[in-house]
Amino acid sequence: MTATSFKRIKQLALGLSLIGLAFQASAQTEVHDAWVRATVAGQPSTGAFMTVQADSDSTLVSVQSPVAKTVQIHQMSMKDDVMNMGMVESVALPAGKPVTLDPHGYHVMLIDLAAQVKEGDKVPLTLTVKNAKGEQETIEVQAEARALGTMDHSKMH
């Protein structure tokens, strides 16, 4: 084997290992069914909803979007027939289990909107997820704006 052949084999092996690392990184967390509630003119805030699934114990630590000045993760809860909603620091993502962010539990609040979010708009969201090793992953999502009264018929049986 010549020195040039050996060098090419090393380069090929390095390239394949980098592709493998890139695949591993991209497969850590998946986001499905991301949507944002459409607003009426002048409405200052709205909610974003989705299902997030990580392949290892992780935490959703933040969400950002250029459509709002402030983006917060909130939790809705009921206690003694009183509904409470408040900001939380993060949402646990147990390994392999889908976590649904919906209007009745954890969700994302987009506050101080730059403009009205109209039905059919694509709203960019950037999620930051941290795994148990402290490694951070950034996931870019395009969430479709849906009308207030729109039901997700895909969940009906």
Side-chain angles (χ1 to χ4, degrees):
M1 182 181 292
T2 66
T4 305
S5 296
F6 184 69
K7 185 177 179 181
R8 285 191 178 157
I9 290 171
K10 279 177 53 178
Q11 289 173 336
L12 178 62
L14 176 63
L16 290 173
S17 66
L18 290 175
I19 289 170
L21 287 174
F23 177 76
Q24 268 186 325
S26 67
Q28 292 176 357
T29 305
E30 295 180 358
V31 177
H32 301 282
D33 303 321
W35 64 282
V36 172
R37 185 169 281 150
T39 64
V40 296
Q43 184 176 332
S45 62
T46 192
F49 315 98
M50 66 203 76
T51 299
V52 183
Q53 184 171 335
D55 66 358
S56 65
D57 286 340
S58 300
T59 307
L60 174 62
V61 293
S62 71
V63 181
Q64 299 298 317
S65 179
V67 305
K69 289 182 185 173
T70 304
V71 181
Q72 299 175 343
I73 303 169
H74 281 211
Q75 182 179 24
M76 179 83 68
S77 62
M78 291 289 289
K79 184 175 181 181
D80 299 326
D81 293 329
V82 177
M83 182 176 63
N84 293 302
M85 182 176 71
M87 190 175 91
V88 296
E89 292 298 316
S90 61
V91 176
L93 303 173
K97 296 185 179 179
V99 176
T100 301
L101 281 66
D102 64 29
H104 309 292
Y106 289 111
H107 57 277
V108 176
M109 288 299 300
L110 304 168
I111 303 166
D112 292 329
L113 295 170
Q116 180 180 357
V117 178
K118 297 178 181 171
E119 186 175 358
D121 286 352
K122 297 292 184 189
V123 177
L125 303 171
T126 303
L127 286 68
T128 302
V129 173
K130 187 184 290 188
N131 68 17
K133 297 176 187 173
E135 300 164 335
Q136 287 196 3
E137 175 185 10
T138 302
I139 303 118
E140 302 289 333
V141 176
Q142 293 291 319
E144 182 179 359
R146 298 181 187 166
L148 179 61
T150 303
M151 277 185 63
D152 182 0
H153 294 288
S154 69
K155 304 289 188 250
M156 296 180 72
H157 298 285

